[in-house]
Amino acid sequence: MRLKSLITTICIGVFFNLNAQISNVNDATGNPIRVGSYDKIEGSPYINDGNWSDGIIITQTDKFLTNVKIRYNAFEDELQYLNKGEPFYYANQDLKSFEFSLADKLGNVERFYFENGFEYPGEINKKNFVRVLYNGKKVKILEKITAVKQKMTPASYGESDYDKFILISDQYVWRDGKLSELKLKKGKILKEFASVKDQVSSYFKENTLDLGNPKDVKDLFSYIDELLQ
């Protein structure tokens, strides 16, 4: 009975310790959004055009903030959230990760999960957030989403040039503790994983893949990850 009581006490202690880490937005410690306007720029620097989505934030101190309205500014590389209807942002170095989901017009739901802590010289530093498309034991596939301002020339004569936000993405593979660029194209993938080229080539033949679809990307690299074990 003593052993059972001890185990019960430990389990209760662990539960309350974990539960203490789960907080709501009122416990957030971010900063008010800096004043800035994109009114004169066409398009949006945000994923999901600046609309707020239900999300989860994990801080560097492992505090889970749940049921938070968040959005990601890909121009500023900034995670923003609502607190009592007011927009705030978290400094990147204070966060570990965040996630939210978006549904398209057909009701298909796509998960967006971002982490920092990766580094690629000249392009990604440890404070930058990257989307994790696949997170395996041997392989991780990451995507850096960036909003850039481009000067646009109107098709109609006499109208002035204008700026427009364009979302661009670059993919990377994390392998053996190192990050390198990886275009999500069949030839590039076969070259990167030359040691299992024959099996991966067969996988491409046996499956109709859309490498712009996160689910297909996850399934492909889950298969590759198993081959590399």
Side-chain angles (χ1 to χ4, degrees), residues 166-221:
I166 304 292
L167 287 178
I168 61 173
S169 60
D170 297 289
Q171 292 79 39
Y172 301 82
V173 56
W174 179 93
R175 190 179 177 194
D176 298 327
K178 184 174 63 175
L179 203 61
S180 57
E181 289 185 273
L182 177 67
K183 297 295 183 183
L184 292 183
K185 296 182 178 180
K186 178 181 176 181
K188 299 291 185 181
I189 294 170
L190 292 177
K191 183 177 180 180
E192 174 68 28
F193 298 97
S195 63
V196 291
K197 179 179 178 180
D198 291 343
Q199 296 97 313
V200 177
S201 182
S202 295
Y203 186 90
F204 272 101
K205 292 177 182 178
E206 294 166 4
N207 297 274
T208 301
L209 300 179
D210 174 7
L211 294 178
N213 183 331
K215 182 182 182 305
D216 286 358
V217 171
K218 182 178 179 179
D219 289 346
L220 169 63
F221 286 98

Side-chain angles (χ1 to χ4, degrees), residues 25 52 68-70 80-88:
V25 69
W52 300 92
V68 189
K69 294 290 186 183
I70 66 175
Q80 302 175 353
Y81 67 93
L82 284 179
N83 188 355
K84 298 179 181 178
E86 296 296 325
F88 286 72

